[in-house]
Amino acid sequence: FADGRHLDGLAQSDRMSANFDFSVQKTRTPPLWLLTVAMLLVVGGWSAWSAREDFTQLVEQEYRMLEIRARQREARISGTLRSVDLMLGNIIDEQRSHPSISVAENNLLLKKYLRLLPELRNLLIVDATGRIRAEANETSIGKNASEREYFKQHRAAPQNDRYFVSRPFKAFSG
């Protein structure tokens, strides 16, 4: 093999095997951009799933908190209404046991009860004609409430044990 044919043959076969190896390597290894896209899709998909799960948990947590707050508010409102009911019963009993109580004494009585329940803005005593006879705030005594919805409702059903909530109205005090 002094003439170099063997060496040329080896070199040529090395080149062919190198070409072969290179082409095999090229088909086995995906291009870098494809790996990058695949990785971005995996990370993006995982991030989207994770964000969706976090969102779902947050919404569920907020609904639980809203439900708890609603129960708390309902308990507070119910308690306040029970307190108002007891207080009004006490005021009625006081009026029945002392029918000749003065306006000044009634005003003091209403002020005392009003201080006990800060949820209330005013208390007043209205006679059968609609005249305000006593008031905790003492701003509307003597005025006529006969056209007010709350008066009409209670005049129509005086023994009704239900509460009546009127539409918003302008108070005598403005």
Side-chain angles (χ1 to χ4, degrees):
F1 299 85
D3 63 359
R5 281 184 289 170
H6 182 265
L7 290 176
D8 285 339
L10 280 176
Q12 188 176 12
S13 73
D14 284 344
R15 280 193 302 263
M16 287 176 63
S17 68
N19 286 340
F20 179 75
D21 288 343
F22 182 72
S23 65
V24 168
Q25 185 179 13
K26 200 174 196 181
T27 58
R28 283 188 184 171
T29 305
L32 185 58
W33 68 267
L34 188 57
L35 287 173
T36 304
V37 168
M39 184 59 77
L40 287 174
L41 286 174
V42 169
V43 170
W46 177 80
S47 295
W49 177 80
S50 178
R52 176 72 177 151
E53 286 296 310
D54 289 347
F55 174 76
T56 302
Q57 289 176 359
L58 180 65
V59 167
E60 288 172 2
Q61 178 183 356
E62 289 301 317
Y63 273 115
R64 283 191 301 271
M65 292 303 295
L66 284 172
E67 189 174 331
I68 289 168
R69 288 184 187 129
R71 284 190 198 132
Q72 290 171 338
R73 297 291 193 269
E74 188 271 334
R76 183 175 178 191
I77 290 168
S78 294
T80 300
L81 290 175
R82 278 191 302 274
S83 297
V84 168
D85 192 41
L86 289 170
M87 180 186 60
L88 292 175
N90 287 339
I91 292 171
I92 290 169
D93 291 344
E94 188 78 30
Q95 296 298 308
R96 286 183 180 154
S97 65
H98 300 95
S100 61
I101 191 169
S102 72
V103 172
E105 290 172 315
N106 269 329
N107 290 344
L108 287 174
L109 176 72
L110 295 177
K111 284 178 187 181
K112 179 182 91 171
Y113 281 114
L114 189 62
R115 279 192 302 271
L116 295 175
L117 280 172
E119 294 87 357
L120 299 179
R121 291 175 38 196
N122 197 6
L123 286 170
L124 45 95
I125 297 174
V126 181
D127 68 14
T129 66
R131 288 269 171 229
I132 298 173
R133 297 297 176 199
E135 181 185 21
N137 293 338
E138 298 185 39
T139 57
S140 305
I141 296 173
K143 293 189 178 175
N144 187 354
S146 63
E147 293 304 313
R148 298 291 174 130
E149 205 172 349
Y150 59 80
F151 179 79
K152 289 178 183 180
Q153 182 71 24
H154 289 294
R155 183 177 55 199
Q159 300 303 318
N160 191 350
D161 288 341
R162 304 183 116 197
Y163 293 102
F164 173 72
V165 179
S166 69
R167 291 179 289 212
F169 61 90
K170 188 173 183 177
F172 289 116
S173 63

